[in-house]
Amino acid sequence: MALIEIKDLKKDYVNEEVVTSVLFGLNFDIKEGEFVAIMGPSGSGKSTLMHILGFLDVLTSGVYKFKDKDVSNLDEDRLAQIRNEEVGFVFQAFNLLPRTSVYENVKLPLVYSKGKKSEDKLVKEAIKAVGLEHRINNLSNQLSGGEKQRVAIARALVNDPSIIFADEPTGNLDSKSGQAIMEILEKLNEMGHTIILVTHETDTARHAKRIIKMSDGLIADDYLVKDRRTTRDGELVK
């Protein structure tokens, strides 16, 4: 059974009487345990798609099934509930609370979740998963960019979500730190976590196992990556 099923998904934005179409009828499935990179240039629709898949936005028409349930027309309260319980987010800008400890930043999602027991254990396990036990009491403004992104990953993990969305997670990092972040995401995928990565960088996308390429609001290509090498023109080997 697919974790995500998308059928003829379309998205329009309406500003007064002006309609701007962004997505033009997408069809694809994502299975549990996949590591998928959604690629495309600026304006291709990849971020809009991620926002819909992550319950941050709603589609205009079509069908979105999550865990075999149609979530296309749920109200904001129900979408927020699913978002809090099922989804973890890692953003380019980290989005950490300033002058707040690593521990408290990672703990934050648990504040909005009901029925979570042993919060201290969950937080420490998430921090350990990204190798930051030695920084657990440090404030966020005392960390390097790479360490901040590790905290963001731990925060995304703490609720044990069904899926992790990583939106340009290496965009604010140097190449060495970016490589370390992608290796952490690879490891989490090997442990069974479903990951959807949004990026325009081939070097970042090569860590995924499947590539969905977006162009002008449509899927231009969708293929499995047989290995992680690139061709002379920088394209991933299919």
Side-chain angles (χ1 to χ4, degrees), residues 53-210:
L53 297 181
F55 307 101
L56 294 170
D57 200 354
V58 294
L59 50 77
T60 300
S61 64
V63 177
Y64 176 12
K65 287 187 177 181
F66 183 77
K67 291 188 172 180
D68 207 34
K69 294 182 179 179
D70 191 341
V71 295
S72 310
N73 299 302
L74 297 181
D75 61 31
E76 177 53 38
D77 287 343
R78 181 64 181 128
L79 290 175
Q81 181 182 0
I82 296 174
R83 190 166 61 238
N84 291 336
E85 294 176 356
E86 301 281 4
V87 178
F89 291 99
V90 181
F91 295 104
Q92 178 177 343
F94 317 133
N95 294 353
L96 301 183
L97 295 176
R99 296 179 297 280
T100 305
S101 71
V102 168
Y103 182 94
E104 292 299 328
N105 267 286
V106 175
K107 181 181 177 181
L108 186 62
L110 298 177
V111 174
Y112 303 102
S113 298
K114 297 179 180 179
K116 292 288 184 181
K117 299 179 180 180
S118 304
E119 286 187 357
D120 183 68
K121 181 180 179 181
L122 292 172
V123 173
K124 288 179 178 177
E125 285 178 349
I127 293 172
K128 183 178 180 180
V130 299
L132 278 183
E133 306 99 305
H134 63 296
R135 293 291 204 183
I136 192 168
N137 294 316
N138 283 93
L139 304 182
S140 60
N141 59 319
Q142 297 174 326
L143 306 177
S144 68
E147 289 172 332
K148 288 178 180 178
Q149 197 59 292
R150 289 184 186 220
V151 176
I153 294 173
R155 182 184 57 196
L157 273 175
V158 74
N159 261 342
D160 191 26
S162 296
I163 190 165
I164 296 172
F165 289 92
D167 188 7
E168 301 283 6
T170 63
N172 284 339
L173 305 177
D174 60 75
S175 58
K176 183 178 180 180
S177 297
Q179 174 70 17
I181 290 301
M182 294 312 302
E183 288 175 358
I184 289 174
L185 292 178
E186 278 187 59
K187 180 180 178 182
L188 293 175
N189 177 244
E190 290 170 359
M191 293 168 60
H193 292 279
T194 305
I195 297 175
I196 296 181
L197 166 72
V198 175
T199 184
H200 66 278
E201 298 177 347
T202 300
D203 282 346
T204 300
R206 68 184 178 85
H207 293 269
K209 296 176 180 177
R210 175 184 170 194

